[in-house]
């Protein structure tokens, strides 16, 4: 890696159970529960995953089944697929991969990170209103072990060795060092 790598953070314990990860996020962001669906939504995961060429992590899938897209602290947008709108999310991810992420990679190829579908490539799952990106580093065959990559609008990169939902819970609870991100309030806005 290069000087752009800020560092690596690991949770005290990686949460592998999607329901436990969602419960941690609901504790960190109590207002989120108001937006929970009465029953899990039926998302066409096959369409999304076939279109991306990879399965997605179980915690993200479960979050999308229980919640619509939402913003945290009017800062971080967590884009989730809606039943019947999966194609729109897929197009958005592809645009990110072809646009901003590709530009970042081309601007500094020494970073060593490439966009998905390159082996271990970056796959976006959330973004800030200031241009920061949260991505999975798709290393390995099991998406349950992917790490979160935070790409700061200022050029710094860092890794979180836990799942996406656990990252959100710890970020909102203030139990991880946000490094190049500002602290976020635990307020939720449905989008």
């Amino acid at each position: 890696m290069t000087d752009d790598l800020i560092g690596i953070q690991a949770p005290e314990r990686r949460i592998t159970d999607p329901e436990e990860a969602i419960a941690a996020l609901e504790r960190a962001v109590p207002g989120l529960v108001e937006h929970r669906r009465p029953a899990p939504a039926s998302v066409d995961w096959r369409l999304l995953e076939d279109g991306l060429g990879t399965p997605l992590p179980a915690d993200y899938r479960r979050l999308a089944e229980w919640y619509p897209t939402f913003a945290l602290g009017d800062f971080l947008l967590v884009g989730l697929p809606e039943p019947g709108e999966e194609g729109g999310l897929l197009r958005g991810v592809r645009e990110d991969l072809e646009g901003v992420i590709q530009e970042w990679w081309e601007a500094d190829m020494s970073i060593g990170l490439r966009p998905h579908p390159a082996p271990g490539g970056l796959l976006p799952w959330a973004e800030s209103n200031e241009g920061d990106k949260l991505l999975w580093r798709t290393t390995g065959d099991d998406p349950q072990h992917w790490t979160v990559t935070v790409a700061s609008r200022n050029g710094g990169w860092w890794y979180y060795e836990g799942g996406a939902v656990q990252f959100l819970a710890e970020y909102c609870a203030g139990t991880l060092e946000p490094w190049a991100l500002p602290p976020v309030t635990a307020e939720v806005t449905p989008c």
Side-chain angles (χ1 to χ4, degrees):
M1 301 308 291
T2 69
D3 293 335
D4 292 302
L5 178 63
I6 297 169
I8 300 171
Q9 292 187 57
E12 189 173 304
R13 177 182 67 87
R14 184 172 183 144
I15 299 174
T16 57
D17 177 53
E19 296 298 331
E20 184 183 353
I22 290 171
L25 179 59
E26 291 171 341
R27 282 190 304 277
V29 186
L32 185 62
V33 177
E34 297 171 25
H35 307 288
R36 188 178 177 114
R37 295 181 170 108
S42 181
V43 175
D44 188 347
W45 292 111
R46 184 174 184 170
L47 173 74
L48 279 171
E49 294 174 340
D50 285 353
L52 293 171
T54 184
L56 295 171
D59 63 335
Y60 176 83
R61 289 174 55 131
R62 198 63 179 156
L63 183 66
E65 291 167 353
W66 282 114
Y67 287 100
T69 293
F70 60 89
L72 292 169
D74 289 327
F75 172 71
L76 188 65
L77 178 68
V78 182
L80 300 168
E82 289 290 326
E85 302 293 325
E86 296 89 349
L89 181 74
L90 185 57
R91 280 188 299 279
V93 169
R94 286 182 178 155
E95 288 171 9
D96 269 355
L97 290 171
E98 293 169 2
V100 174
I101 296 169
Q102 187 70 29
E103 289 173 22
W104 285 353
W105 177 66
E106 288 172 357
D108 186 0
M109 293 176 65
S110 65
I111 291 173
L113 301 176
R114 302 182 72 163
H116 178 75
L122 300 174
L123 186 59
W125 60 270
E127 63 186 323
S128 81
N129 61 8
E130 295 181 11
D132 306 289
K133 298 278 185 188
L134 299 181
L135 313 108
W136 287 295
R137 187 170 181 202
T138 61
T139 303
D141 295 332
D142 186 356
Q144 296 358 297
H145 298 291
W146 289 352
T147 58
V148 171
T149 299
V150 178
S152 166
R153 68 191 177 283
N154 299 321
W157 296 77
W158 58 281
Y159 298 113
Y160 173 78
E161 295 182 333
V165 177
Q166 185 175 7
F167 173 89
L168 293 173
E170 292 193 6
Y171 181 37
C172 291
T175 57
L176 64 78
E177 174 62 44
W179 284 332
L181 296 176
V184 68
T185 60
E187 298 170 2
V188 64
T189 306
C191 301

